[in-house]
Structure formats: structure tokens, C-alpha cells
């Protein structure tokens, strides 16, 4: 069990550019979540997948954001035409769905700075 | 709708003193509750979770939390603070399995020597 990994760990981009982040969940975990965390706040839910199906998207996820999990393993989060307000830490978590409370295991995050 | 309130954005304690971080939740159904810790520039690590099996939950690093339905609280405690406990702590709630976590705003714990 190698844990959830995210790449890159840091990204600096100019406003208007597109960026893509990758998340590799714990193997055999069928659920994958994306959260966004801004300074001084707790993480906020963006979207989640069960296997390759995207089951829920937050209203925070504007149409500039798109997420995929093509084979039910790794996931990508793309932000098009970045804005300064997109600057945040993007966290990925994975879990194994089961009866009772699932535990979400978080990756180290990707910190995005939009100049 | 679910929500979580963490009282006190910053808490400062002396090394060896009791740690008490407060969390109150709002939920229309019995919730599942979690405490996570975040060290600078890192992701979140699970400290403990309440899943209705027992109201007093023991976690890692000597932390524990007690679920009090009458007070809608899930406060985190540790009898004796250590310098390595300095971090930000988040309380979170979700409804049954397969659901997103709703987090509080976090409490930064400072431990003084």
C-alpha cells in the first residue's frame, strides 16, 4: 500500500493557461474524490468517481473544470483558462466503498498558483 | 444539510498540557464524524472516526474524541501535548457511506515549550 499520490506537487501558471493534475489512488480503491482547499479554510468537495463513473459534481466545479477517471484507476483534473481565483491546494482522496463509514485517504495535494 | 463548526481558529497550549479542540456538527440524520490532521504543505491524515459503534473513539498519536448526541459535539482531546502535535486539525462529517466529506474551517494548534 503506497498511499495516494498526486502529480505535480506544485504548479505555477499564468492566467489563461490550462493545467492538468493527476491523482493515483490506493490500488483497489473504487472511489476517488477531488477537493479544493484555499488558505485558512477546510477542503471543499469538487467531484467524485466510483470506478470510472463520475457520480457527483459540486456547484464549485465551473465548466472550466473537468475531471476524468478513464479506466477506474488514476484520475485527472483539468482547469482551462485559469483565473487567479483558482489558486488553491487541490487534494485527491480515495476510498473503498463498504457498508458503514468509508475512510477517505488523502494524497499530499497539488498547490496551484495562478499569476 | 450537513455542516461543521470548529470553535477557535487557533489554540495554543504548553507542552504537556491538555489539548481540547472543539467541533460541533449539524446533521438531519446520525452522522459519521472524522478528525484529520494536516501538517504544513501536506495532505490530510486521519486521526480517528466515529461510526456509531462506540461514543468514545481512540485514534492515533494519543488522541481521542467523544461523540455527544445531545450536544451535537465531537471534541478532540489529548491528555498531554507534544511539540510534534503542532499542526492544523479538521473535523469532518458525512452521511453514511459513499458520500463527500464536509469539513470545518480547521483549528491551528500551537504547542509552546
Amino acid at each position: 500500500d503506497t498511499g495516494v499520490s498526486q502529480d505535480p506537487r506544485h504548479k505555477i501558471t499564468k492566467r489563461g493557461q490550462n493545467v492538468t493534475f493527476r491523482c493515483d489512488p490506493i490500488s483497489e480503491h473504487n472511489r476517488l474524490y477531488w477537493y479544493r482547499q484555499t488558505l485558512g479554510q477546510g477542503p471543499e468537495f469538487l467531484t467524485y468517481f466510483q470506478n470510472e463513473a463520475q457520480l457527483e459534481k459540486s456547484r464549485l466545479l465551473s465548466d472550466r473544470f473537468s475531471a476524468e477517471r478513464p479506466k477506474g484507476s488514476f484520475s485527472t483534473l483539468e482547469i482551462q483558462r485559469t483565473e487567479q481565483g483558482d489558486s488553491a491546494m487541490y487534494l485527491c482522496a480515495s476510498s473503498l466503498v463498504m457498508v458503514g463509514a468509508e475512510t477517505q485517504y488523502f494524497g499530499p495535494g497539488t498547490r496551484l498558483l495562478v499569476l | 444539510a450537513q455542516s461543521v463548526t470548529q470553535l477557535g481558529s487557533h489554540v495554543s497550549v504548553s507542552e504537556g498540557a491538555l489539548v481540547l479542540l472543539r467541533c460541533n456538527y449539524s446533521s438531519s440524520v446520525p452522522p459519521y464524524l472524522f478528525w484529520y490532521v494536516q501538517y504544513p504543505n501536506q495532505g490530510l491524515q486521519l486521526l480517528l472516526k466515529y461510526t456509531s459503534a462506540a461514543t468514545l473513539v481512540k485514534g492515533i498519536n494519543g488522541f481521542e474524541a467523544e461523540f455527544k448526541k445531545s450536544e451535537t459535539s465531537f471534541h478532540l482531546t489529548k491528555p498531554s501535548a507534544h511539540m510534534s502535535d503542532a499542526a492544523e486539525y479538521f473535523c469532518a462529517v458525512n452521511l453514511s457511506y459513499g458520500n463527500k466529506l464536509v469539513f470545518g474551517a480547521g483549528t491551528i494548534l500551537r504547542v509552546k515549550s
Side-chain angles (χ1 to χ4, degrees), chain A residues 8-106:
Chain A
R9 294 291 308 275
H10 300 88
K11 179 71 177 179
I12 300 173
T13 191
K14 293 182 179 179
R15 189 176 54 184
Q17 298 294 304
N18 299 342
V19 295
T20 299
F21 309 141
R22 177 179 170 123
C23 171
D24 286 89
I26 294 171
S27 59
E28 296 145 14
H29 278 192
N30 50 6
R31 290 228 167 148
L32 188 148
Y33 296 79
W34 285 100
Y35 292 84
R36 181 170 68 187
Q37 184 180 22
T38 54
L39 203 60
Q41 299 296 319
E44 295 176 293
F45 169 78
L46 293 178
T47 187
Y48 88 95
F49 295 83
Q50 180 158 324
N51 301 314
E52 61 274 8
Q54 189 172 18
L55 296 187
E56 186 176 350
K57 293 192 291 186
S58 164
R59 286 171 291 177
L60 292 175
L61 212 65
S62 77
D63 54 10
R64 296 185 297 105
F65 288 70
S66 62
E68 295 183 341
R69 194 182 184 199
K71 297 183 180 179
S73 57
F74 73 91
S75 175
T76 58
L77 177 68
E78 182 183 15
I79 309 174
Q80 296 182 327
R81 306 180 303 281
T82 52
E83 301 173 356
Q84 288 184 326
D86 297 331
S87 296
M89 173 83 91
Y90 290 83
L91 294 165
C92 175
S94 72
S95 69
L96 181 63
V97 70
M98 55 191 294
V99 176
E102 65 182 88
T103 298
Q104 295 182 27
Y105 295 91
F106 284 81

